[in-house]
Amino acid sequence: MKGILGKKLGMSQVFDPDSGVMTAVTVVEAGPCPVVQVKTQDADGYDAVQLAFDAVAERKLSKAEVGHLKKAGFGPHRHLVELRGESGVEVGATVTVEAFEPGDEIKVSGVTIGKGYQGTIKRHGFTRGPVSHGSHNVRKPGSIGASAYPSRVFKGMKMSGRMGGTRVTQPGLVVHEVDAERNLLLIRGSVPGSKGGLLEIRGA
C-alpha cells in the first residue's frame, strides 16, 4: 500500500518539450511523513499505518498527542492520519514522494470546497422552468410530494441545502511528475479540496 499526506498548493500547466502538448496538473506538497504507528491484524484487528504531517509548535497540540508522537521519536505535527492496508514500513521510518513514480495510478481524498446554501439547480443540476408568459417557476424546485397522500415529504428528497464541504475520494488519477528535492507531486487533472487543504494520496 502506497500512501502519503500532502497539502494542495493549486493548479498549473506543464508543457511537453518535444510535442508541446499542455497538461493541466495539481501541485501537491506531499510529505515527508513520519510513520508514528503500525497496526496489524493480530494486535489491532486490521492492518493500517499512521502517518504524521506538517510540523508545528508543541503548544498547538494536546499533551496526549505530543506524548504519542514522542513515543515514536518524532516532534509535534498538525495532522495524524491512518491509512488502511498492509504498508511494509516500520515505526520511525519516513515516507516521502520518492515512494511514487510518474505514471502511477492513485486516488486522492480530501474535503471539497464549501459552496454554502444553494438551490436545486446548482446543487443537483435541475432544469429551470419557463421564463416567459408570466411564469413564476424559473428556478424553483417544483413539486416535492402529493397533498392528500402521503401528506408528507419523503426522506432523501433532492432539495436546496448546504453544498460542498464533504469528504470525497477521487479515483483514476495519475502522477505526472515527482520533484523529490521540493517534496512536490504533480497530479494530472484536478483533485478535491481548496488551496492549503489536507489530501490523502494512496495507490490505486
Side-chain angles (χ1 to χ4, degrees):
M1 190 275 301
K2 288 183 180 180
I4 197 169
L5 306 179
K7 180 172 68 174
K8 182 177 176 178
L9 299 182
M11 293 196 69
S12 184
Q13 298 172 339
V14 176
F15 292 88
D16 187 276
D18 299 324
S19 63
V21 175
M22 185 273 288
T23 304
V25 296
T26 302
V27 183
V28 179
E29 182 185 342
C33 295
V35 178
V36 179
Q37 187 178 3
V38 176
K39 296 189 175 182
T40 60
Q41 184 73 36
D42 297 332
D44 305 285
Y46 64 98
D47 294 308
V49 59
Q50 197 177 76
L51 301 178
F53 178 66
D54 195 7
V56 293
E58 190 171 315
R59 61 183 170 80
K60 295 190 176 183
L61 299 183
S62 66
K63 286 185 179 180
E65 290 171 321
V66 172
H68 180 64
L69 287 159
K70 280 185 177 179
K71 185 179 178 182
F74 298 106
H77 285 72
R78 189 186 304 277
H79 302 290
L80 206 60
V81 178
E82 197 171 274
L83 302 179
R84 292 283 186 113
E86 294 184 6
S87 59
V89 295
E90 297 180 354
V91 175
T94 301
V95 179
T96 65
V97 292
E98 293 177 348
F100 295 89
E101 295 179 356
D104 284 354
E105 294 185 358
I106 57 172
K107 54 184 177 181
V108 178
S109 301
V111 177
T112 59
I113 298 172
K115 305 290 185 181
Y117 192 96
Q118 299 297 334
T120 53
I121 290 179
K122 183 181 178 75
R123 192 180 187 211
H124 299 296
F126 281 19
T127 304
R128 72 178 187 178
V131 295
S132 60
H133 299 290
S135 171
H136 293 280
N137 181 26
V138 180
R139 292 182 71 90
K140 292 180 180 179
S143 174
I144 58 172
S147 169
Y149 179 82
S151 299
R152 64 186 177 89
V153 178
F154 286 117
K155 287 183 179 180
M157 184 67 63
K158 289 182 178 180
M159 300 170 70
S160 58
R162 181 177 289 183
M163 180 181 177
T166 56
R167 178 182 163 86
V168 168
T169 299
Q170 176 73 47
L173 297 172
V174 176
V175 175
H176 184 77
E177 193 176 324
V178 178
D179 188 341
E181 292 183 4
R182 295 185 291 174
N183 295 316
L184 297 179
L185 271 181
L186 272 59
I187 302 171
R188 287 179 205 162
S190 59
V191 301
S194 56
K195 291 180 182 178
L198 179 68
L199 298 175
E200 299 172 21
I201 303 163
R202 289 165 288 172

